[in-house]
Amino acid sequence: MSFFSNFQTDKCPGPINGNPLNGLNEKVCIQAQRVFDACIKQGQTDGIVLNITDPVPANPTYPLTFISARSTTSIGTVTAFQVDRLPDRANCARVQATIDIPMEVVYTDANGTEGKASAVITVSEDVILFVPQPSIMPYEVQCVVSAVAPEGSFNSENNTFVIDACITAILKIIINVDLLVPSYGYCVIPPAQEYTQEVCAGFFELPLYPQGNTSCGNNSGCCNK
């Protein structure tokens, strides 16, 4: 079982039934990452040049043939950011950031051997976000990313790939805080349900012995003459 597979208790996550105040018993302090503001940017970027490093297997035979490329992590690296507050919009600021997205490129070499290598896509963000006022605990700029490139080609002049990528970037303003929240108490963890292929399920559902009338009677077709 799990929280969402046939586990019935009011001490686990799920939809609220009845009065949402029922069961609240305390205010608890939790350590959390508070998101003050966030925005998402999605789009297709064509003609991205990927410089590959750390090929596996090492020393592939050129030229290479592109198969696919995708991001290897959901956390982008914010290499630089700048915050300029807007005088006419309280607590809002222009946030500029450069985000590096680690990528894995899959290809075949001239001998038909499949390999992979590392690369980085760099994207720029220039957006308006709510930015909290200065405090002892500083805010951070975090970026959640995803990138996939179904199409690309190899440039044999400089041994790079040129790809068209679908990129998603979610920029967040966050602070690690001690947050006071209402609580229903500790969560009840259900026992695990082991995965099996159930190869014998159909067989074991059969009755142990034949069912029904075992003697010839008026309703037995094989005894009719």
Side-chain angles (χ1 to χ4, degrees):
M1 290 183 290
S2 69
F3 288 138
F4 303 103
S5 72
N6 197 29
F7 185 63
Q8 302 296 324
T9 177
D10 59 355
K11 292 293 187 178
C12 73
I16 296 176
N17 296 315
N19 184 358
L21 299 179
N22 184 36
L24 285 176
N25 53 36
E26 62 178 332
K27 294 181 289 184
V28 298
C29 180
I30 63 172
Q31 189 177 57
Q33 196 176 77
R34 178 173 176 179
V35 179
F36 283 85
D37 204 358
C39 64
I40 184 172
K41 183 178 180 181
Q42 293 179 298
Q44 177 178 327
T45 304
D46 299 335
I48 299 174
V49 178
L50 294 183
N51 295 288
I52 60 173
T53 59
D54 304 320
V56 179
N59 302 317
T61 303
Y62 294 99
L64 308 179
T65 300
F66 179 85
I67 296 179
S68 65
R70 66 174 50 250
S71 52
T72 59
T73 178
S74 61
I75 303 299
T77 302
V78 181
T79 57
F81 72 91
Q82 179 177 336
V83 176
D84 297 311
R85 294 192 177 273
L86 303 178
D88 56 337
R89 298 177 63 176
N91 294 323
C92 287
R94 177 186 181 186
V95 178
Q96 300 176 79
T98 301
I99 313 299
D100 289 338
I101 306 174
M103 301 287 292
E104 180 181 80
V105 185
V106 180
Y107 56 81
T108 56
D109 70 2
N111 296 325
T113 302
E114 183 173 307
K116 60 183 180 179
S118 300
V120 173
I121 290 178
T122 300
V123 297
S124 297
E125 295 282 353
D126 190 350
V127 298
I128 296 176
L129 289 172
F130 173 91
V131 177
Q133 293 296 325
S135 61
I136 293 176
M137 301 303 296
Y139 63 81
E140 301 177 36
V141 177
Q142 185 185 82
C143 194
V144 178
V145 295
S146 176
V148 60
E151 297 181 359
S153 59
F154 183 71
N155 185 347
S156 57
E157 293 182 0
N158 52 16
N159 291 340
T160 60
F161 285 104
V162 180
I163 64 169
D164 300 334
C166 305
I167 300 173
T168 297
I170 303 174
L171 205 63
K172 301 179 181 182
I173 304 295
I174 64 167
I175 297 180
N176 292 319
V177 300
D178 294 332
L179 197 64
L180 190 66
V181 297
S183 170
Y184 293 92
Y186 290 112
C187 185
V188 175
I189 306 297
Q193 180 180 5
E194 298 289 343
Y195 173 78
T196 63
Q197 291 185 327
E198 301 292 347
V199 294
C200 297
F203 180 73
F204 288 151
E205 290 171 1
L206 295 174
L208 186 60
Y209 300 109
Q211 304 295 306
N213 193 348
T214 59
S215 61
C216 288
N218 293 333
N219 294 328
S220 180
C222 64
C223 295
N224 292 336
K225 297 182 180 179

